[in-house]
Each structure stands twice: as structure tokens, then as C-alpha cells.
Amino acid sequence: MRRPKVLVTHRQVQPVALERLQRECDVILPDVDFPTRANILDLCPGIDGLLWTSYKMKLDRDILQATGPNLKAVSLTMNGVDCVDLDELATRNIPLGHTPHIPNGAVADLAIGLMIAASNAIFSSREPDAHPCIQGSTVGIVGFGGIGELIAKRLQGFDVENFLYCGHSVKENAKKFNAQFVTREELLRRSDYVFIACPLTPDTLRMFNRDTFSIMKPTAVLVNVARGAIVDEGALVNALKSGKIRAAALDTVTTEPIPADSELFQLSNCVIIPHLGTATKKTRDQMALRAVDNLLAGMRGEAMPSQYFKRKTAN
């Protein structure tokens, strides 16, 4: 029986996951550590499975078509699916795996660290100003899914006075934290700290923009542990420079790695780290192993342990 042929798009995939994949498949790896789109396209023809490891490069129609007719499954080593042409996959009836829930704890931990760093100017040469402290504050969470819920859970020991959240619907688990479901506008107007913990979708693209920042408190701190493109960076720069908001802490930006000449680097009230939300060995090992399990199941025609199904939108 022929062993499946699988393309792993980057060499930096976790060794424990690569070893599992190699036991059952013939694995193709790029010859370089940082392959270009052209490198990956050259390796696509004839593969049975695709393990996609980069959210920065688009898994679009051209790449999917380059794989040919044998492609049976695609799996991501990440939770977010915004880098994928979902319509093309659906047209070809190819299942997509991802890694929900696994990174939530690590991302929530980092979110709290960013909140503290930005609030207290820990990494800044500026003097801490008189501002609302975390104790007694109002915290707003945009997207009360797994990560949003864990942010609220982590903050239980900080004596936060109010938790607000917004999103598609009321969340039953929010009751455990006395979190109130409000409109996005009310959340922005009332919150001292605003966490972005929602996925990047057409609806959330540049959700935080000039109009958004004009609603927020001038003492508010913005923390983004989701996707950079949810924030209009030009509008954020203006808001930070003009004092429309007090500070921002970013684990992610629109272009990664962030250009060295980005104006965000010049602002003393902006903390930036290089997308470290899942950067623990345990988390990344578990994500990569789940991605491999998804891929193997999909190629066998079985249900994936963590298969992505596109959310149905109301008419």
C-alpha cells in the first residue's frame, strides 16, 4: 500500500510532531528555513496531505490548485483560519483541521502580562502617570470565547470591579465572572482596559479604527492578543500620540515581523512583542501533534479530532 505523500510547509515544525508524521507518511520539507511562496508552490504537485504552518502566508486558491487531484486533507498548526481560502476548500470538499482551545491558557497568561506592562509603563522610559489601576477597574473583552473567558478567570485575583464583553451572543460561562453582555460601543465607552480576543473575519477587520478610538476613555489601555489586522495601525498611532487612549500592548501587528521603521516603535506608550502568545514548548508541541492527528485522520477519510466548520451567517 502506498504511503501518503505530505508537504510540511516549514522546517521549524515541532520535532515530536514531525516524527509522528514521518512514521506513517513520506514527508516533503522545503530545503530552506524560510521558504518563499514560489518554493512551496514547487513542492505542491501530487501531495495527499498539506500541513500548513504559517499564518503569514496565504493558503489560497493557487496553492490549493497546485496540489493536484490527490489532496485529501489540510491541517493547520494554529487555531485561526484567516489565512485559508475556505471557499476553495469547500468547493473541493477537502476537510480542514486546526488547533482550537490548546493555546488558550498560554495566550491568556500573556494577555495579563501585557496588560500590566502597558498599564505601569514597565518597558518604557516615561514616568508612570496618574491613571486608573487594575484594582477597581472595568475590563472589556471583545470576544468572550475560550481565550476571553480565561482572561476573565486570570483577573479574578486582581479585584476588577466590572467585566464587560461583546460578541455574537450571550455566553453562559460569563455568569461565573459576573460579566455583562453589552454592545461594542458601550464596552468601549466604559472600559479602562480593552482586550481583543476575537478571530479575524471580514466583520472584525480594522474593527478598531479612528471612530472606535474616539469612543474609548483617554485613560484606556488596549491589549491585542488576536490578529494585527483587527486594528487600523495608522489610527492606533494617532490615538496614542494624541492621547485619545493612554497605552497599547500588542502581541500581534498587521505585518509580521513588524517593519523596523514602524512608528509604533517610537511611542513610549506602546508595548510590542513578536507574537509570543503560543510560545511555550508544551503549547506548541500539543498544537503540532493535534495538527498531525487532524491530517492523518483526514487522509484516512475519518473525522478530524479538531475539524474546522465555517460559521453559518444569518440571512
Side-chain angles (χ1 to χ4, degrees), residues 26 119 140 157 250:
D26 292 335
S119 179
L250 312 174

Side-chain angles (χ1 to χ4, degrees), residues 52-58 78 82-83 227 252 256 275:
W52 192 263
T53 63
S54 175
Y55 64 90
K56 301 174 187 176
M57 189 180 296
K58 296 297 182 183
M78 66 203 81
D82 46 279
C83 64
R227 285 288 190 262
T252 178
E256 297 180 5
H275 212 140

